[in-house]
Amino acid sequence: MSTPRDRDPRRPGSAARRRRPSQRSADGQPRGRAGAEPVRRRAPQAARSRPAPGGRAPRRPARKTSGGGPTAPLLRRTFRRSEPGPRIKVAVVLLVVVLVVFGGRLVQIQGFEAAHYASQASDTRLTTIDIPTVRGDITDASGRPFAISVEVRTVFVDPKEVKADEREQIITELSGRFDLPVEEVTAKLDATTPEGEPSRYQVIKRQVSQQDWRELDELDLQGVSSERDYKRVYPDETGAANLIGFVGAEGHGLEGLEAVMERTLAGEAGKQQVEVGRGGTQIPMVAGLAKEPVPGRSVRLTIDQDIQWHAQQTLAERVDALDAEGGSVVVMDRSARIRAMATYPTYDQNDIDGSTQEDRRNGAVADAFEPGSTNKAITVAGALEEGVTTPDTVYTVPYSIQRYDRTFKDSDYHPTERFTVNGIMATSSNVGTIYIGDQLGPDKLYDYLGKFGFGQPTGLELPGENQGILTDPQYWSGTDQPSISFGHSLSVNAVQLASVYATIANDGVRVEPSLVAGTVDETGDFTASPAREKRRVISPDTAEQVRLMLEAVTGKEGTAQAARIDDYRVGGKTGTANRIDPETGRYEQGQYTSSFVGMAPIDDPELIVLVVLHNPKSEVYGGQAAAPVFTDVMSFALKTDQVPPTGTEPPKLRLRE
């Protein structure tokens, strides 16, 4: 009969121990349950506490209780791992699921959405660039150019295509022909992408002439090629820089007509797809043309290039001679078509960096000034049209008169005289004109000033235009009406003033000023600009009466005898006005604007010429400062247009009682 001691399996000699199957593996190592990892048998307590040779057995410190007394040592816990089979099964299932998901996505991409992703891949490789188109020309009325576009080339290299045995020749040719440092050309042939691949596109020189490119192309150097481009060219000595303007580095108009007519001149760029490497390098030879470029339309002006050039030269000489700040000349025909628009100072369109903003201003529309006595033609025309006076009506005209707190005087002293309206115009009497303006009244005076085009845009839409100042009569002071009647207390630009006299020359019908005759397409077909607005301002009889008065201004007793032209009957009006300081709004002491505007032949006017000089120093009156420029420019224009000499004699007008 066994005792409890015999049945204790943990005791080394027990019956349970003798009946337990062997737990050693094939290599003789002990193992646990079937399929479990081998376990290490714990050494007997006696063995574990055996002292080291020559020493005492280490003693385990006793664990203290809360009461401070020792307790029995803690038993070491034994951890056993769970069975690995379930974990392996879960891992296999998860792996299968992941493979199925990836496999399904791969089938979707390659089988069902292949075209879509191929397109996206292509889009990352291809881009669309503009193909430059030829910009339209700007020409005068007969087709002579003010601005043209010439084809040039952008020379580039494809380093990947350069042959090793031609490399030195290419470096020598490119550096020598285009005056470039050898190091710069070499660096471009050695250029690489960020990925370390040879670059496919390196610009060597822009705006290379066709002749220079042809000579280089004949050498047949592999890897050297060119792209078509265009360069804007302005012929020298046209005298129209301030009117025409210029284009910027990107080929877009920045000032003058180049800016105003941008949409017409520019055309539409073509489109081309090019391959782009990961480093952003464009390869223009790879892809095809997506859209053909559309050339711009050329713009034909009403300007005559010969008259323009002569007006510019004559103006520049006079400004320099009188040490003036600047000036303008406007030449029109009776239908307000502008034949010349000269401004000084000016600049070279082929050297923009050498000019200032002031040099590039178009003073003919940008500079506003008081018209002075040139405005008297409007006051007199309005009074004649309203029937409040006649050319032979006599006025008693003293040298000066008082209006409120201001004294108004004529330019030169004279005793009180009995002038007709003809005489008031011929001698340019301020006092006499004030009397006529009083009869017309403020509202009618304002109405006629507006009808003649003051205080409103010219319609030319040129950059920087100043439409002047014309205040409503309800805001006039007591001295404004007399001032305005002879050309003070209001301001205009040169084109506005010239158009007044074009209206008088055109039998009283005002035509809105025009500058663009029409456009020309790439086949040479001309399309005329829309007709300009017309309206009658004064009757033909009134216009004729005013013209005869203007002719008297250039007569023996007039203020502008310097404006006479041999063999032609000429009429016009002088103007001298104080300059206003734009910062203070007050007149600048000792500074004047001198002007003269006239027409010829007076019996059947063909041309109108206006001359304005800003702050001349040695001569200030319009008859002495500006009239000589009028005579020179008008004489040249009449000959250029082959206007026959006048065949009639001027009538004798009664100037005094």
Side-chain angles (χ1 to χ4, degrees):
M1 180 176 180
S2 63
T3 64
R5 179 182 179 89
D6 295 332
R7 292 194 299 269
D8 187 353
R10 293 174 297 176
R11 296 183 64 82
S14 69
R17 173 65 179 161
R18 289 193 297 270
R19 290 193 298 267
R20 181 174 299 169
S22 174
Q23 296 184 359
R24 293 185 178 274
S25 62
D27 57 2
Q29 297 297 322
R31 63 184 179 185
R33 293 178 303 232
E37 297 177 0
V39 297
R40 177 173 297 176
R41 185 181 301 274
R42 296 177 60 189
Q45 183 66 32
R48 286 188 281 115
S49 59
R50 182 179 300 166
R56 299 179 62 184
R59 299 183 62 184
R60 181 183 301 274
R63 182 169 177 263
K64 294 184 179 180
T65 64
S66 58
T71 63
L74 292 174
L75 295 177
R76 180 176 297 174
R77 294 182 180 179
T78 301
F79 295 94
R80 293 187 178 183
R81 298 181 181 178
S82 62
E83 292 290 338
R87 294 200 306 273
I88 294 174
K89 292 179 181 179
V90 172
V92 170
V93 170
L94 291 177
L95 180 60
V96 171
V97 171
V98 170
L99 291 176
V100 169
V101 170
F102 277 103
R105 183 59 176 158
L106 186 61
V107 171
Q108 180 187 13
I109 293 174
Q110 293 187 340
F112 297 101
E113 299 180 359
H116 170 72
Y117 285 101
S119 175
Q120 284 192 336
S122 177
D123 289 343
T124 63
R125 201 164 47 82
L126 300 177
T127 189
T128 301
I129 62 171
D130 288 339
I131 302 175
T133 185
V134 59
R135 188 177 179 87
D137 298 339
I138 301 177
T139 72
D140 79 343
S142 60
R144 289 175 292 183
F146 285 116
I148 57 176
S149 291
V150 297
E151 185 175 333
V152 292
R153 292 282 171 166
T154 296
V155 176
F156 66 92
V157 293
D158 180 351
K160 189 173 183 179
E161 295 295 321
V162 172
K163 292 181 179 179
D165 58 354
E166 291 183 344
R167 175 184 170 86
E168 292 303 320
Q169 182 184 1
I170 290 174
I171 293 174
T172 301
E173 288 290 341
L174 296 181
S175 60
R177 286 178 180 273
F178 302 131
D179 193 24
L180 298 173
V182 172
E183 297 79 8
E184 178 181 336
V185 177
T186 302
K188 291 187 176 183
L189 262 65
D190 292 336
T192 60
T193 66
E195 294 78 20
E197 295 293 327
S199 173
R200 301 302 305 273
Y201 183 75
Q202 291 290 314
V203 173
I204 298 296
K205 183 74 173 178
R206 299 185 187 276
Q207 296 191 348
V208 175
S209 70
Q210 291 284 73
Q211 178 62 32
D212 289 344
W213 164 244
R214 280 194 293 268
E215 292 177 0
L216 179 61
D217 190 39
E218 289 175 357
L219 299 177
D220 196 25
L221 300 172
Q222 186 167 321
V224 179
S225 189
S226 72
E227 295 174 313
R228 182 178 60 185
D229 202 352
Y230 296 94
K231 177 183 179 181
R232 202 63 165 168
V233 175
Y234 301 97
D236 294 334
E237 299 298 329
T238 63
N242 301 72
L243 171 62
I244 302 301
F246 59 91
V247 300
E250 300 298 322
H252 302 300
L254 297 183
E255 291 191 18
L257 287 173
E258 290 277 32
V260 173
M261 304 297 294
E262 172 67 17
R263 289 188 177 182
T264 301
L265 294 165
E268 295 182 19
K271 301 293 183 182
Q272 183 181 24
Q273 284 187 321
V274 298
E275 187 171 351
V276 180
R278 285 178 293 176
T281 303
Q282 294 182 359
I283 309 173
M285 308 88 80
V286 172
L289 189 67
K291 179 185 175 183
E292 286 283 354
V294 178
R297 295 179 67 88
S298 293
V299 173
R300 183 181 298 175
L301 305 180
T302 57
I303 299 287
D304 181 281
Q305 194 172 98
D306 291 336
I307 299 175
Q308 176 71 34
W309 180 87
H310 189 83
Q312 183 69 39
Q313 298 303 310
T314 305
L315 173 65
E317 291 172 3
R318 192 61 174 169
V319 168
D320 289 342
L322 300 182
D323 194 23
E325 290 183 7
S328 298
V329 172
V330 176
V331 182
M332 281 185 180
D333 65 17
R334 61 190 298 167
S335 296
R337 289 185 289 260
I338 297 176
R339 307 298 307 285
M341 185 185 290
T343 296
Y344 193 82
T346 187
Y347 67 103
D348 182 357
Q349 293 156 290
N350 296 306
D351 182 23
I352 303 302
D353 293 338
S355 66
T356 66
Q357 185 64 41
E358 187 66 22
D359 294 334
R360 300 193 293 267
R361 294 174 70 255
N362 185 354
V365 293
D367 293 332
F369 56 93
E370 290 193 344
S373 293
T374 58
N375 194 63
K376 293 173 181 176
I378 297 177
T379 304
V380 171
L384 293 173
E385 187 69 16
E386 293 298 316
V388 299
T389 192
T390 68
D392 291 321
T393 300
V394 178
Y395 295 82
T396 300
V397 182
Y399 165 64
S400 66
I401 58 173
Q402 190 77 20
R403 288 288 190 272
Y404 295 92
D405 61 344
R406 184 175 175 187
T407 300
F408 294 94
K409 304 175 182 180
D410 284 344
S411 58
D412 295 316
Y413 176 79
H414 64 83
T416 299
E417 295 192 67
R418 297 274 289 171
F419 281 121
T420 65
V421 174
N422 293 327
I424 289 172
M425 281 286 285
T427 61
S428 194
S429 171
N430 296 335
V431 174
T433 307
I434 291 173
Y435 289 149
I436 297 172
D438 288 344
Q439 290 180 281
L440 183 60
D443 291 333
K444 286 293 184 181
L445 177 58
Y446 175 81
D447 185 45
Y448 276 99
L449 290 168
K451 288 180 178 179
F452 274 103
F454 285 3
Q456 55 192 276
T458 62
L460 299 178
E461 299 181 349
L462 291 172
E465 178 175 325
N466 187 334
Q467 68 182 43
I469 299 174
L470 178 60
T471 309
D472 190 280
Q474 64 178 318
Y475 302 110
W476 289 3
S477 69
T479 59
D480 278 341
Q481 180 183 320
S483 294
I484 291 173
S485 65
F486 65 91
H488 292 258
S489 298
L490 78 165
S491 64
V492 298
N493 64 46
V495 173
Q496 288 173 325
L497 186 55
S499 71
V500 170
Y501 283 74
T503 300
I504 296 170
N506 198 37
D507 288 334
V509 176
R510 182 179 189 274
V511 183
E512 190 177 49
S514 61
L515 184 60
V516 177
T519 60
V520 182
D521 65 18
E522 58 181 319
T523 65
D525 291 337
F526 176 76
T527 301
S529 296
R532 307 295 277 184
E533 180 184 350
K534 297 181 180 181
R535 65 182 179 189
R536 179 164 292 282
V537 178
I538 55 177
S539 68
D541 288 342
T542 298
E544 183 178 10
Q545 291 169 349
V546 175
R547 288 199 299 268
L548 293 176
M549 294 179 191
L550 296 174
E551 185 177 25
V553 173
T554 64
K556 292 181 179 180
E557 296 188 60
T559 59
Q561 297 179 35
R564 293 179 181 178
I565 298 175
D566 293 340
D567 300 325
Y568 291 92
R569 289 174 58 185
V570 177
K573 189 70 191 75
T574 58
T576 306
N578 296 91
R579 285 165 54 86
I580 295 178
D581 186 340
E583 295 184 0
T584 64
R586 297 179 179 274
Y587 290 116
E588 295 179 303
Q589 188 66 30
Q591 297 194 17
Y592 301 91
T593 296
S594 304
S595 59
F596 186 89
V597 55
M599 62 191 74
I602 203 68
D603 57 336
D604 187 18
E606 292 283 346
L607 295 170
I608 296 88
V609 174
L610 167 70
V611 180
V612 181
L613 299 175
H614 299 294
N615 196 27
K617 301 298 191 302
S618 54
E619 297 281 358
V620 297
Y621 291 111
Q624 288 77 41
V629 180
F630 165 86
T631 303
D632 193 333
V633 174
M634 178 63 86
S635 298
F636 184 87
L638 290 170
K639 293 177 181 178
T640 299
D641 281 359
Q642 299 181 349
V643 177
T646 305
T648 61
E649 292 293 326
K652 292 184 179 181
L653 302 182
R654 187 166 67 99
L655 306 183
R656 294 177 176 83
E657 186 179 51

